[in-house]
Amino acid sequence: MRLLSPLTHLLLATVACSYALGVAHPAAAAPSPKPAAGATKAVVEWRFDRPDVVERWRPNGEVKDARVEGGALAFRCEGSDPILDCVQPFQFAASARQVVEARLKADKPGTFELFWSGTTQGPFGGLSQEKSSRFQVVGDGKWHVYRVFPFWQKERRIVRLRLDPYDGATFALSLVRVRNLSANAPAMRDVTVKRAKGTTLLSLDRPGGFALLPVPPVDASRASVVTLRMVSCGASRPSLVYASSDSFGLHEVAFRANPDGRVRAVNVDLRSAPGWSGRIVALGLRPGERPGDTILLESIRAAAGPPAKPELEALWFGAEDALPRAGVPFSVLARVTNGGGTPAKGVAAKLVLPPGVRVLSSSRPAAEVPPRQEAEWRWKVVVAKPARVRMALKLTAANAPAVSAGSVATVTARISAGVKGAIPAPKPVSGKVDVGVYYFPGWRSASGWAPITRYPERRPVLGWYREGDPSIIDWQAKWAVEHGITFFAYDWYWQQGSRSLEHALNDGLFKSRYGEMLKFCLLWANHNGENTSSHDDLMAATRFWIDNYFRRPNYYRIDGKPVAIIFTPHRFRSDLGSAEVRRSFDAMKEACRQAGVGGLYLIACVGGDGSEPRLAQQEGYDAVTAYNWPGLGRQGDEQRAPFDSLIKGYKAQWESLARTSPLPIMTPVCGGWDNRPWAGQGALVRYGRNPANFRKHLQQACEFIASHPREALPVALIEAWNELGEGSYIEPHQEFGFGYLDAIREVFTSAPRAHADVIPADVGLTPPQVEMPSPTQDRWVFSKGLQGWSSMMGQTEARVEAGALSARTTSDDPALSGPPLQLLASSHPVLRLRMRLTPLSGTAFQDLAQLFWSTQTTPTSEATSIRIPVRADGQWHDYQVRLSAKRPWTGIITGLRLDPCNRGDVEVRVERLELGR
């Protein structure tokens, strides 16, 4: 920071151009807002001070008492879809550097939606969900100016606008207008920009803010890397933001920044980034996540590749094992990348440790790190006594600047507990409120863990464990009941009789030593395709529940009835209709009564639509809850928002349900949300979660349940134990240890706060781990084993049989997933696959296989896939596909998924799969 002081002082004294969303005006009347910095005159404008305004912006039936009053259109809204539709003809050219301004006041907070279109033809008069922008409205009864960047440039022209307010509030609207912004000045929302002496200081005022920089358009096909020379002042996760001529909206790619006050070059690889195509007509930065995050930008450059000079960076450095114990060896990991355009040669990593720390062993990768690839160093160390161990990493290379990093490992004393080599018996605690936790059974193979290994802070205390082994659930059950958790709600997958991911229950809980001390129930994760539900199928699922789960003594019950939670009530409603759902549910409940299991208690997961609980009651549900509501409390559509605002959103949603739901509420609680492992860098991130604010969230849930004895069941339901890919997890892990479980114990039980959390290292045990093959492996001959491949969905468990990976498809969407990878796409342009598909019906057919992949910046999706014509005839076939023909086959490939066909009842055999030239 010392480096910045003189320059920062100078910049702060410079006249700034500042542009904020939701600027309040204290006057009670409706004066015109001042233009935004850099704005030109209005392209189109409406003032709501004339009696004929209702004829120009026509309200629908849910907008009540619309009238001109005090120089504004006053109205109130009742219903789920109020609309103000502009019917006055107009037309203007659409540009990425346009802002829509709306001046209004409201007595309650909520979200407005702005729709636009370049046509009045087609469904909904040319309007669609993709042609819309949301903005959050303050409910303080004061005038505010809301400025929205719609990024509608793909539409070419705009001929229609519509505003959708929200239910239950009273409004006054004085102005709507569209302005062009100057191409020669920054355009900002919630960011303060100061410029002086060829540099630009960008400081985040509110979450979700961004600044568009005055740079010329970029041809995305010729420029795939953006290089920034910058200094980070506190910001660790800024984002590059951009708009394309080929798509709507503002795209973003987050990148790491070292907030050490030094000038650094950062290369952002956009070759497989969403929306990086056509002409990039706007380019800028979101300087961070938290208000006050600041970046000093020296230059920004878009080119075909990064500068030739290699650039080493430590992506991760620290203790890899969670909760290291004194006297027990643990692993220290350094993950290093080369962001430059040429190989870093002669790379060496030195671990610097204080006295008293012994290095037992080390592993070293090759001394050369190619461009955009990674290398890992590991050291096995042991610390004799409890201590906070300060570690340093020194990276050197023959042709790149040296890099250093630091970390602190908190090493605690071993706990003396029972017999060495045995899991100690649990010591359950409980309170007046039952606590349930969702459980995602997705962690039995290297392919399942692959995306999580990119986020070492999420590594569980049990390591990359082999889920389904009884000892795993013994530890999990022990920790759960010792912290006041009553039951796990297991995600359960069934599609027309096809089941998957049953290992955690069948092989784990049911065969474990301590599993019966923890209750369980089912969450039917019925996010299947259309027309997959029927009355007969629901009855078949119910019979399966009765035969396999409901008779178990530790199945969780309410009012003596076994509980089943339905993830997607809409799936049943869409496939059957509400009346048929009710008939089926009545029959299911009667079947359970006839079987002597006490009936059936059905709970519907609902969202924010107030009509959902009423529909759930009509369809025969007994209560409502949610799996998660990750978007609550955001400002519009922002992709990065604080966890604290999510807590406020949950509390408001509970209160809303208490007012409107005719069914009791099983109060849902959120452990966090950051699904970058699944969705890539463009994912929704609720940053800033920690045990302290989670405890606050729990306390609010506890108070809500206590203060609503008629509306709320005495149950809190937390998402989730191990949704590590969604970023909602409370299982003991590397970053916060037992912090989340301790919060549950403190809030929901009267057990003493002081207690001992025994881990495997304390009793000399190593939990069973999945096999992690080398990430540079590019050829799999399955006679040697599965090598990290596994069945993902839609087929029986993959196994090696007669020298091949073998499975049987059980649905029309089977998939095999592969282990974590680090492969340069340009060095592996060709896929070779030897596979045999045998229809069990005996009738041969032509079909399409599909290979999916993920990269360091892009998740698995249809865009990152290629279809392969295949023949299901019981014969071996060799397939060869040129992957480089697909533009997204670029960068570093981090994972593969193979869908062998699109039908059920097919025997799949894969002898080998390889990537090469």
Side-chain angles (χ1 to χ4, degrees), residues 273-351:
W276 191 262
S277 61
R279 292 177 75 247
I280 304 303
V281 293
L283 186 64
L285 286 172
R286 178 168 288 134
E289 298 174 322
R290 299 167 175 80
D293 281 358
T294 300
I295 284 176
L296 177 65
L297 181 66
E298 288 191 355
S299 64
I300 182 169
R301 162 189 175 269
K309 181 181 177 182
E311 292 274 353
L312 293 176
E313 180 187 1
L315 296 175
W316 169 270
F317 172 60
E320 185 176 24
D321 299 0
L323 299 180
R325 298 295 206 207
V328 180
F330 65 92
S331 176
V332 176
L333 168 67
R335 179 176 289 160
V336 177
T337 188
N338 173 16
T342 54
K345 299 183 177 181
V347 181
K350 181 181 180 182
L351 178 64

Side-chain angles (χ1 to χ4, degrees), residues 694-834:
F694 181 64
R695 187 187 188 284
K696 176 182 176 182
H697 188 28
L698 294 174
Q699 188 62 49
Q700 290 175 347
C702 189
E703 292 167 359
F704 172 78
I705 292 169
S707 61
H708 294 81
R710 296 181 61 183
E711 296 86 358
L713 297 168
V715 186
L717 183 54
I718 300 169
E719 195 255 350
W721 180 265
N722 57 354
E723 281 282 15
L724 295 146
E726 291 184 355
S728 184
Y729 51 94
I730 64 170
E731 178 174 13
H733 59 277
Q734 205 275 348
E735 186 175 19
F736 293 116
F738 281 80
Y740 287 86
L741 296 189
D742 288 344
I744 294 170
R745 178 181 169 114
E746 291 167 20
V747 171
F748 286 108
T749 81
S750 57
R753 186 167 185 172
H755 64 286
D757 291 319
V758 179
I759 64 174
D762 294 325
V763 291
L765 289 173
T766 300
Q769 304 291 290
V770 301
E771 176 190 4
M772 286 288 187
S774 167
T776 59
Q777 183 173 345
D778 56 11
R779 185 172 186 264
W780 298 271
V781 178
F782 292 106
S783 60
K784 300 178 181 178
L786 291 174
Q787 302 162 81
W789 285 81
S790 68
S791 294
M792 180 179 176
M793 61 186 182
Q795 57 190 2
T796 59
E797 184 69 28
R799 64 195 185 281
V800 173
E801 187 177 273
L805 181 156
S806 302
R808 178 180 60 82
T809 66
T810 57
S811 78
D812 58 3
D813 191 22
L816 294 161
S817 56
L821 300 176
Q822 279 288 306
L823 298 176
L824 187 62
S826 59
S827 299
H828 299 82
V830 174
L831 164 72
R832 296 181 181 87
L833 172 68
R834 182 167 175 79

Side-chain angles (χ1 to χ4, degrees), residues 179-264:
R179 286 185 177 274
N180 286 327
L181 298 172
S182 170
N184 299 317
M188 293 146 282
R189 191 189 77 180
D190 294 336
V191 169
T192 297
V193 177
K194 300 177 185 291
R195 307 178 72 190
K197 295 190 175 181
T199 59
T200 303
L201 190 74
L202 303 100
S203 183
L204 187 68
D205 298 328
R206 301 183 192 183
F210 61 86
L212 303 179
L213 302 170
V215 297
V218 173
D219 182 347
S221 65
R222 298 188 178 187
S224 57
V225 175
V226 172
T227 300
L228 306 109
R229 282 195 60 81
M230 52 170 273
V231 180
S232 172
C233 314
S236 58
R237 287 199 65 79
S239 296
L240 188 76
V241 298
Y242 53 92
S244 164
S245 61
D246 287 359
S247 58
F248 295 120
L250 187 67
H251 303 281
E252 75 170 292
V253 173
F255 59 90
R256 294 169 52 92
N258 192 336
D260 60 359
R262 298 182 181 180
V263 178
R264 294 181 182 274

Side-chain angles (χ1 to χ4, degrees), residues 456-487:
E457 72 280 1
R458 304 188 188 198
R459 179 184 170 102
V461 166
L462 293 173
W464 309 125
Y465 54 79
R466 194 169 68 242
E467 190 177 58
D469 188 289
S471 68
I472 296 299
I473 190 60
D474 275 332
W475 282 109
Q476 293 173 332
K478 172 182 171 62
W479 295 333
V481 300
E482 289 183 343
H483 292 84
I485 292 171
T486 313
F487 66 94

Side-chain angles (χ1 to χ4, degrees), residues 21 81 99 213 283 367 449 476 503 550-551 650 687 782 811 837 876 901:
L21 175 70
D81 194 21
V99 60
L213 302 170
L283 186 64
W449 285 112
Q476 293 173 332
H503 58 280
F550 287 174
R551 300 186 194 279
Y650 262 73
Y687 64 82
F782 292 106
S811 78
L837 302 174
W876 286 102
C901 61

Side-chain angles (χ1 to χ4, degrees), residues 389-465:
V389 179
R390 296 188 177 277
M391 304 179 292
L393 173 70
K394 304 292 184 183
L395 282 172
T396 58
N399 60 339
V403 173
S404 61
S407 181
V408 176
T410 301
V411 180
T412 54
R414 290 180 69 176
I415 295 171
S416 178
V419 179
K420 188 175 182 180
I423 303 173
K427 300 175 181 178
V429 299
S430 61
K432 295 181 180 179
V433 172
D434 285 351
V435 178
V437 184
Y438 288 118
Y439 188 104
F440 171 61
W443 314 112
R444 58 180 171 172
S445 66
S447 60
W449 285 112
I452 315 303
T453 61
R454 310 285 306 161
Y455 299 83
E457 72 280 1
R458 304 188 188 198
R459 179 184 170 102
V461 166
L462 293 173
W464 309 125
Y465 54 79

